Amino acid sequence: MTALRLGTRRSALATTQSGWVADQLRAAGHDVELVEITTEGDVSGGLLTAIGGTGVFAAAIRKALTDGRVDVAVHSLKDLPTAPEPGLVVAAVPAREDSRDVLVARDGLTLGELPIGSVVGTGSPRRTAQLAALGLGLEIRPIRGNVDTRLRLVSSGEVDAVILARAGLARLGRLDVVTEVLDPIQVLPAPGQGALAVECRADRPDVLEAVSVLEDADTRASITAERALLAALEAGCTAPVGALAEVVDGEEGLELSLRAFAGTEDGRIDLRRSLTGRYDDPESLGRRLAQILLEDGAADLDRPSTIASRPPEPVS
């Protein structure tokens, strides 16, 4: 095989992630060439909810795959739509980074230490909904931009804090800025957060075999359950949905424990449910938990008055 052409977005985080995948493939004996691709999400300054949400970072790279301009693509898995892309396959899911969200706040403050009225920046309805549900009296402001842009909002005093994915900061070597790692009991991550998707054309058995060395079975099982739940809820990455699956020891071997959140951005409705299921059937687990959420009111989140909501619980 000639050198694998690996398609990546141009951002520092994307090229760092893709560079890591390229290094793993090189260690396995393959020549790899990075090909930078500009996506709609990179050139638009609008909020993700306004420019299309799920898929705005993936569409251009996927077209390059389909057209044969690149052989492999690396995505942040949470950016991929849950619907399969005709002719393409997620050929490998490497071991996942820590999936939790983190707080980066002025003066080293934690979430509970931020004064009432503090401004917290995030472009995620999922984070907005869960922060609002905590009842801390924070002002949540929508923001866009890469990691450095968001961190500058804190250092310049434009906001008191921002919420980011720990995985991105870890890959960039910037964990020193974190003032608190948020417990999933407070803020569940996005489905697939912290995981990478290595995608290629389904009709390229040579590429499929080359990237198979990157596969991590536990991560694949976990993200499959999370994305099955997301698909069943008919939500995207901009919807107020969080999910986290973890591999646990059961009485008869390995199992998956799946926790999920669905709510409203004003925090008045905060549905949290969990379920444990078979390790070897993660899709069924995700669909079953989604059905529980739907039966308990998630189907009516656009009509919050129809749901018996409970007041937000204070954080201890």
Side-chain angles (χ1 to χ4, degrees):
M1 183 191 302
T2 57
L4 287 167
R5 297 164 298 170
L6 192 156
T8 178
R9 291 171 54 206
R10 296 174 181 267
S11 74
L13 179 56
T15 55
T16 297
Q17 293 174 166
S18 297
W20 179 87
V21 169
D23 287 343
Q24 304 307 303
L25 292 172
R26 290 176 184 127
H30 302 287
D31 292 329
V32 183
E33 170 194 357
L34 290 185
V35 179
E36 294 185 353
I37 298 169
T38 300
T39 72
E40 181 183 358
D42 296 314
V43 298
S44 173
L47 293 172
L48 292 185
T49 49
I51 63 175
T54 303
V56 298
F57 293 119
I61 296 176
R62 283 180 151 178
K63 188 174 189 307
L65 270 177
T66 301
D67 293 346
R69 288 179 281 130
V70 298
D71 305 301
V72 185
V74 177
H75 309 277
S76 291
L77 209 146
K78 69 182 180 67
D79 292 338
L80 283 186
T82 55
E85 183 74 6
L88 302 182
V89 61
V90 176
V93 180
R96 188 182 207 169
E97 266 281 1
D98 191 326
S99 64
R100 293 175 294 177
D101 282 326
V102 297
L103 182 78
V104 179
R106 63 173 176 82
D107 305 322
L109 298 176
T110 65
L111 196 59
E113 293 169 342
L114 286 169
I116 292 175
S118 294
V119 178
V120 179
T122 176
S124 163
R126 169 189 60 83
R127 290 169 178 151
T128 297
Q130 294 183 87
L131 286 174
L134 293 174
L136 298 177
L138 303 173
E139 178 187 337
I140 303 167
R141 182 175 300 172
I143 60 173
R144 269 295 311 276
N146 60 29
V147 170
D148 285 334
T149 298
R150 297 183 187 215
L151 293 178
R152 279 196 295 270
L153 293 175
V154 179
S155 61
S156 68
E158 291 184 57
V159 300
D160 296 296
V162 294
I163 307 289
L164 300 169
R166 186 189 185 281
L169 291 174
R171 291 180 175 125
L172 290 170
R174 300 296 306 277
L175 288 176
D176 59 299
V177 301
V178 173
T179 58
E180 183 182 11
V181 179
L182 300 182
D183 193 311
I185 291 174
Q186 296 175 307
V187 181
L188 276 170
Q193 185 163 303
L196 301 178
V198 182
E199 193 172 44
C200 68
R201 283 170 49 158
D203 61 358
R204 290 291 305 273
D206 54 337
V207 180
L208 288 165
E209 181 179 359
V211 303
S212 65
V213 298
L214 301 169
E215 177 75 2
D216 181 78
D218 288 355
T219 302
R220 172 76 73 165
S222 296
I223 63 96
T224 298
E226 294 165 15
R227 286 169 61 78
L229 175 137
L230 186 60
L233 291 176
E234 298 182 344
C237 74
T238 60
V241 173
L244 178 62
E246 298 171 291
V247 179
V248 297
D249 289 321
E251 293 182 359
E252 299 181 1
L254 294 180
E255 294 181 332
L256 278 177
S257 173
L258 178 60
R259 291 177 281 172
F261 156 86
T264 54
E265 288 190 59
D266 60 11
R268 291 200 309 117
I269 299 169
D270 180 12
L271 296 174
R272 292 176 185 268
R273 302 293 184 267
S274 62
L275 195 64
T276 300
R278 288 169 44 189
Y279 177 89
D280 61 354
D281 193 6
E283 287 193 24
S284 291
L285 174 61
R287 289 194 297 267
R288 285 192 291 128
L289 186 53
Q291 187 58 40
I292 291 171
L293 282 166
L294 291 168
E295 291 172 354
D296 288 350
D300 299 316
L301 286 178
D302 58 339
R303 300 189 302 278
S305 61
T306 66
I307 305 174
S309 61
R310 57 180 175 81
E313 298 178 358
V315 180
S316 58

